[in-house]
Amino acid sequence: MKWATAVFKFFASVRLAVTLIVLLGIAFGVGTFIESYHGTHAAQVLIYRTRWLALLLMLLALNLLASALDRLPWKKKHIGFLTTHLGIILMLAGALVTQAFGIEGQVQIEEGNTEGRMTLAEPHLHVVEINSGHTWVFPLEQHVFPWPGMM
């Protein structure tokens, strides 16, 4: 049981939190430069939608949860600490749900009108059969760094 306590204390440590925050700051900084020079899609493929970044964010959530549990039994003076840590955990969970199930796009709606179409970030080919109304959607492959001849 000593090893379980040591592992728990490691995940609850401030040292792990600082290390994760520094690594995430570096990753987001690099992602910002990649997005500036090569576009949003390149930054998403290389940084923002990678498994290693998801792992860092999950480790941060685990660290926040462990540090909150390490303070058991909670007292009235821990309300601010718990609110902050649980709020960050909820934001990370929301980001995970959005990344897994969300659709990124834009909808332009003029005042007083409704709209049934959305512009997606990823290119898709939509085929609609006029007689039956059947639709097919085919995703098109988009390269991170397109060569100049593709533009």
Side-chain angles (χ1 to χ4, degrees):
M1 261 319 169
K2 250 185 178 180
W3 65 270
T5 304
V7 169
F8 177 77
K9 289 293 185 183
F10 168 75
F11 280 109
S13 69
V14 174
R15 181 174 292 187
L16 177 62
V18 170
T19 302
L20 289 171
I21 290 170
V22 167
L23 289 173
L24 287 167
I26 291 169
F28 293 142
V30 169
T32 301
F33 282 108
I34 290 173
E35 189 168 4
S36 294
Y37 291 109
H38 301 289
T40 302
H41 182 69
Q44 287 180 347
V45 169
L46 297 174
I47 304 288
Y48 300 127
R49 293 191 180 263
T50 59
R51 291 180 193 255
W52 60 264
L53 185 68
L55 177 67
L56 285 177
L57 292 172
M58 285 191 291
L59 283 173
L60 180 62
L62 182 63
N63 174 255
L64 292 166
L65 181 63
S67 66
L69 292 175
D70 194 36
R71 300 240 194 288
L72 282 172
W74 297 320
K75 296 183 173 79
K76 191 174 181 179
K77 67 180 182 180
H78 293 129
I79 290 174
F81 173 84
L82 290 171
T83 303
T84 303
H85 284 66
L86 288 176
I88 295 170
I89 291 170
L90 283 173
M91 285 193 305
L92 291 170
L96 178 67
V97 169
T98 299
Q99 187 171 8
F101 303 108
I103 297 173
E104 189 171 329
Q106 295 179 343
V107 177
Q108 293 182 352
I109 305 172
E110 292 181 21
E111 188 175 339
N113 291 337
T114 60
E115 185 59 59
R117 295 179 293 167
M118 179 170 68
T119 304
L120 300 175
E122 299 88 22
H124 287 78
L125 174 64
H126 291 259
V127 179
V128 179
E129 185 179 12
I130 295 173
N131 296 332
S132 68
H134 285 92
T135 62
W136 295 270
V137 178
F138 302 97
L140 301 174
E141 187 175 335
Q142 187 177 10
H143 297 280
V144 178
F145 300 109
W147 59 283
M150 292 179 68
M151 296 289 177

